[in-house]
Amino acid sequence: MPLADVVIVDTTLREGEQFIHADFSSEAKLEIARALCDFGVRYLEVTSPAASRRSREDAEAIATAGLPGTVAAHVRCHPDDAAIALDTGVGALHMVMATSPILRAASHGKAISEVVRMAADVAEFVRKRAPDVTLRFSSEDAFRCPLSDLMNVYLPLSELKLFDRFGIADTTGAATPDRVAEVVGLLHRLTATPIEFHGHNDIGCAVANAHAAVTNGATHINTSVLGLGERNGITPLEGMIAVMYAADRAGTMARFRLDALPALCRRVAELAEVGVPFNQVLVGETAFSHKAGIHTKAVYNDPRAYEALDPADFGLTREIAIGHRLTGWNAVRVRADALGLRLALNDLKEATTRVKQAADTRRLTLDDVDRILTEVAAETARRSA
Ligand code: HCA
Ligand code: CU
């Protein structure tokens, strides 16, 4: 599937709620759901309605809010949880069960054959009660699971033809893109069932892993705004959008209101009581700032020289820093022009030298640069008077 066509299954309202600082109110959850849909997401995952009374009420409120997309409830592989979820009116159930030896031992204690039986039983139960609901089964900790065990889960479940999709989760966020390519690629070759990838970011590969999953057959990617989730989270929505945009700008712009993304991220950060990290892909404070003279000169000529993403498409502006020791006379000239000062090349170079000298001893503001430029201009005027 082309990257820009991948289905974003956003789980800010499930995995994101598992972020240590997140304690979203019912109103906040609806606000986030609406903002995600306004941005263009068409598939939202919410916390299991079996988790608590408010989780159930919130799932119902979101599922019946008339949003232009599918609302999926995350559930354990248990008919009671599935029944509670179906009663909320969600359009999809996302079942999950651990498959790796370490998690099977530390969590449910079941053998692989029992995992298959339980998933099949719940799927049959769901299909009887709600034939049209979208049903996904995901194996937790799939990437620390022997491939034979993993295939012994997915292949028999695939034959049942009860599932619309298989999820595959890098739960501890330690997989690398080559491993994701291997495992997702194998699953893709062996089943016709669409694949959803869920990847944590513990070693920093979550976006690259999501990319590898798509190029090896995944059709759905789990994201959350700012990557919010357990520990340091999962593939961030904005990171995945950047990958899609870099592959197909027009296609991604047609699907998403990209200029709504920075505000969405700021708002979710606020609701989760954290800041937007300064270097976050796309929406971090420094994502479009340029500093060194060599960079700024080229960016003034053509921003694409040092930008893979056009900030204007996201409603953002680039920042070009002038007042520092790495500055160059081209950047200084742009500032002089902006101030209406017509300086000859020698004067520009003199001003640049003064900026660098001053910056070697202290931190400069734009006002400091402007003062130096005005001084040099005044000296020149005096000389020629
Ligand atoms: C969890 C685990 C999970 C599930 C992912 C999935 C994971 O917190 O329940 O449903 O595909 O990382 O394995 O988030
Ligand atoms: Cu997770």
Side-chain angles (χ1 to χ4, degrees):
M1 165 184 272
L3 261 171
D5 293 346
V6 74
V7 180
I8 298 280
V9 178
D10 188 88
T11 180
T12 306
L13 298 174
R14 194 282 295 175
E15 179 77 52
E17 197 180 22
Q18 293 175 222
F19 171 56
I20 189 91
H21 296 306
D23 186 17
F24 300 134
S25 67
S26 304
E27 296 71 40
K29 287 187 194 176
L30 255 181
E31 183 187 339
I32 293 170
R34 289 213 170 89
L36 282 163
C37 290
D38 285 348
F39 170 64
V41 172
R42 290 291 172 266
Y43 207 128
L44 309 177
E45 184 178 78
V46 299
T47 295
S48 173
S52 74
R53 189 175 141 183
R54 194 151 72 76
S55 301
R56 180 163 52 72
E57 291 166 356
D58 292 347
E60 188 170 346
I62 295 166
T64 56
L67 297 172
T70 304
V71 177
H74 200 245
V75 288
R76 290 177 302 185
C77 246
H78 197 286
D80 292 351
D81 288 18
I84 294 170
L86 286 176
D87 285 345
T88 63
V90 291
L93 288 195
H94 287 180
M95 292 160 51
V96 69
M97 198 153 175
T99 47
S100 67
I102 182 164
L103 261 195
R104 280 193 290 117
S107 70
H108 56 64
K110 304 270 190 298
I112 288 290
S113 56
E114 285 174 279
V115 171
V116 174
R117 191 183 49 73
M118 288 172 72
D121 286 352
V122 179
E124 273 161 23
F125 167 81
V126 171
R127 280 289 168 240
K128 274 199 201 102
R129 275 193 57 165
D132 296 331
V133 85
T134 297
L135 192 54
R136 183 214 75 169
F137 170 84
S138 182
S139 50
E140 198 183 358
D141 206 16
F143 293 86
R144 291 193 302 174
C145 188
L147 279 178
S148 54
D149 281 358
L150 211 52
M151 295 309 142
N152 281 333
V153 171
Y154 289 121
L155 299 188
L157 291 181
S158 168
E159 274 159 29
L160 297 176
K161 308 228 177 308
L162 294 172
F163 294 95
D164 297 294
R165 204 162 64 249
F166 287 144
I168 182 157
D170 176 23
T171 304
T172 59
T176 48
D178 54 349
R179 174 88 177 128
V180 172
E182 180 194 9
V183 181
V184 172
L186 180 66
L187 186 59
H188 179 57
R189 282 192 297 281
L190 297 183
T191 80
T193 311
I195 299 170
E196 172 178 326
F197 173 77
H198 174 97
H200 279 261
N201 203 27
D202 296 69
I203 65 167
C205 287
V207 172
N209 286 346
H211 175 269
V214 178
T215 53
N216 286 279
T219 50
H220 293 62
I221 293 293
N222 271 191
T223 64
S224 65
V225 177
L226 297 171
L228 296 184
E230 294 277 352
R231 308 183 304 283
N232 76 335
I234 63 165
T235 307
L237 172 65
E238 58 286 1
M240 196 60 210
I241 292 292
V243 166
M244 293 160 70
Y245 171 97
D248 179 358
R249 173 174 178 257
T252 307
M253 291 182 78
R255 284 183 63 198
F256 299 97
R257 264 195 55 210
L258 297 185
D259 61 352
L261 189 57
L264 170 64
C265 292
R266 278 196 304 274
R267 182 65 181 139
V268 171
E270 193 175 29
L271 291 168
E273 299 184 6
V274 291
V276 174
F278 73 90
N279 60 346
Q280 191 74 2
V281 169
L282 268 175
V283 294
E285 180 208 324
T286 65
F288 296 103
S289 57
H290 304 275
K291 184 173 176 187
I294 294 173
H295 287 235
T296 52
K297 174 187 174 188
V299 168
Y300 279 125
N301 288 332
D302 181 351
R304 290 171 304 177
Y306 284 101
E307 285 175 359
L309 318 161
D310 183 349
D313 287 341
F314 301 88
L316 299 167
T317 46
R318 68 183 58 85
E319 183 195 347
I320 299 183
I322 303 174
H324 53 83
R325 73 176 70 93
L326 309 179
T327 201
W329 65 266
N330 284 281
V332 173
R333 179 183 55 195
V334 172
R335 186 63 195 162
D337 288 351
L339 295 174
L341 302 171
R342 296 259 148 262
L343 294 183
L345 185 58
N346 274 349
D347 296 333
L348 282 171
K349 291 193 169 168
E350 170 59 22
T352 306
T353 305
R354 289 191 201 177
V355 170
K356 283 170 177 272
Q357 281 166 351
D360 263 347
T361 59
R362 66 194 163 90
R363 218 182 155 74
L364 300 187
T365 63
L366 197 54
D367 278 351
D368 295 323
V369 175
D370 292 355
R371 206 168 303 116
I372 291 171
L373 279 165
T374 346
E375 261 165 38
V376 172
E379 287 166 22
T380 312
R382 273 202 297 279
R383 269 202 309 277
S384 54

